[in-house]
Amino acid sequence: MLKYEFAPTPSWQDEFNYSGKPDAAKWGYDLGDHGWGNNELENYTDKIENAKVENGNLVITAIKEPSGKQQYSSARLVSKGKGDFTYGKFEIRAKLPKGRGTWPAIWMLASGNEYGNKGWPDNGEIDIMEHVGFDQDRLHGNIHTKAFNHAIKTNKGNNIVVKGLSEDFHVYTCEWTPEAVTILVDGNAYFTFKKEATYQWPEWPFDKPFHLILNVAVGGNWGGQKGVDDSIFPQKMEVDYVRVYPLVTK
């Protein structure tokens, strides 16, 4: 039996020890106001008002303002093509926005489309952190595949209440090996999805490169279930660092 460990130093990281727009060598933007498959209410932009680095943190800000076809602007940063990884430990220290209608996420999608429908959910999704503002301090970790996803009510995941998600920084981690995906907060594992011997790609597409996504959505099928409180904006997710430690096989 192989023993999996992670290297002690990151192979890819952003400490955000600079000022201005996010490092273009590491981050691109998903742009648009089309709802993102979830009837979301934000327009994702590449404006510095929505995503900037200051005081050692990346700050993603959702603003109540006309933007594109929508009435909110925000940002969705992606490492695709600049940071694509197969297996590893992904560690993100962040402080979350607060208020009804906010839906921040730290997650991963496949960088290629080798399986099935060439897109979602067949190629997989790993949710390292999701939080909806109407259920403050409840943290969610999930995976989605063709066989297991929320659209057919078979997704695999868990949630845990952690006080102060919007007041303090917490460390959100994914440990991904060829045998399991484990989601942790502050070093506490609260969800593990194991690869069973019978699994093929519909159950386990997690053997190809994935990239990181950091975003703050507004409203949507989940985030907007109890409406949006316009009095809370602007709201921000602050990210202290993103670190990726490669898998080492012993």
Side-chain angles (χ1 to χ4, degrees), residues 131-146:
H131 181 267
V132 286
F134 66 79
D135 191 8
Q136 182 63 37
D137 289 338
R138 185 173 297 281
L139 176 65
H140 300 262
N142 288 280
I143 61 96
H144 300 280
T145 71
K146 179 178 175 65

Side-chain angles (χ1 to χ4, degrees), residues 125-234:
E125 173 180 331
I126 298 171
D127 299 321
I128 303 172
M129 182 290 298
E130 283 188 282
H131 181 267
V132 286
F134 66 79
D135 191 8
Q136 182 63 37
D137 289 338
R138 185 173 297 281
L139 176 65
H140 300 262
N142 288 280
I143 61 96
H144 300 280
T145 71
K146 179 178 175 65
F148 307 122
N149 67 79
H150 69 82
I152 55 174
K153 298 184 167 48
T154 56
N155 69 285
K156 304 285 188 177
N158 197 13
N159 61 81
I160 183 174
V161 172
V162 180
K163 293 299 181 188
L165 293 182
S166 301
E167 288 72 40
D168 305 305
F169 283 87
H170 295 267
V171 178
Y172 303 99
T173 304
C174 169
E175 296 182 351
W176 171 25
T177 76
E179 294 178 357
V181 173
T182 300
I183 307 296
L184 311 88
V185 59
D186 298 328
N188 172 36
Y190 67 97
F191 169 58
T192 297
F193 176 65
K194 292 181 178 172
K195 182 183 182 184
E196 304 293 343
T198 56
Y199 283 180
Q200 303 295 319
W201 70 260
E203 295 82 21
W204 182 271
F206 304 117
D207 56 0
K208 303 279 187 192
F210 275 59
H211 60 275
L212 284 158
I213 306 172
L214 311 173
N215 69 284
V216 178
V218 178
N221 296 347
W222 187 18
Q225 274 181 13
K226 303 206 172 167
V228 179
D229 179 0
D230 283 342
S231 73
I232 64 174
F233 293 93

Side-chain angles (χ1 to χ4, degrees), residues 31-144:
L31 303 174
D33 58 2
H34 52 72
W36 296 92
N38 299 299
N39 298 301
E40 295 167 28
L41 302 177
E42 78 289 332
N43 178 34
Y44 284 133
T45 83
D46 58 2
K47 294 179 179 175
I48 195 166
E49 291 82 6
N50 295 120
K52 67 180 172 183
V53 178
E54 60 181 3
N55 303 319
N57 295 324
L58 166 68
V59 183
I60 298 178
T61 305
I63 302 169
K64 174 78 176 100
E65 63 178 354
S67 185
K69 296 193 306 243
Q70 303 288 3
Q71 295 302 306
Y72 309 87
S73 64
S74 190
R76 173 162 151 160
L77 297 189
V78 297
S79 71
K80 186 176 181 179
K82 304 170 187 229
D84 303 281
F85 316 97
T86 307
Y87 314 126
K89 180 167 80 169
F90 304 82
E91 198 174 76
I92 300 95
R93 184 171 186 262
K95 183 163 69 172
L96 307 185
K98 189 171 191 174
R100 184 165 47 86
T102 59
W103 181 6
I106 298 167
W107 53 302
M108 301 175 73
L109 283 175
S111 296
N113 290 315
E114 287 91 347
Y115 291 132
N117 67 1
K118 309 299 182 194
W120 191 94
D122 293 20
N123 285 272
E125 173 180 331
I126 298 171
D127 299 321
I128 303 172
M129 182 290 298
E130 283 188 282
H131 181 267
V132 286
F134 66 79
D135 191 8
Q136 182 63 37
D137 289 338
R138 185 173 297 281
L139 176 65
H140 300 262
N142 288 280
I143 61 96
H144 300 280

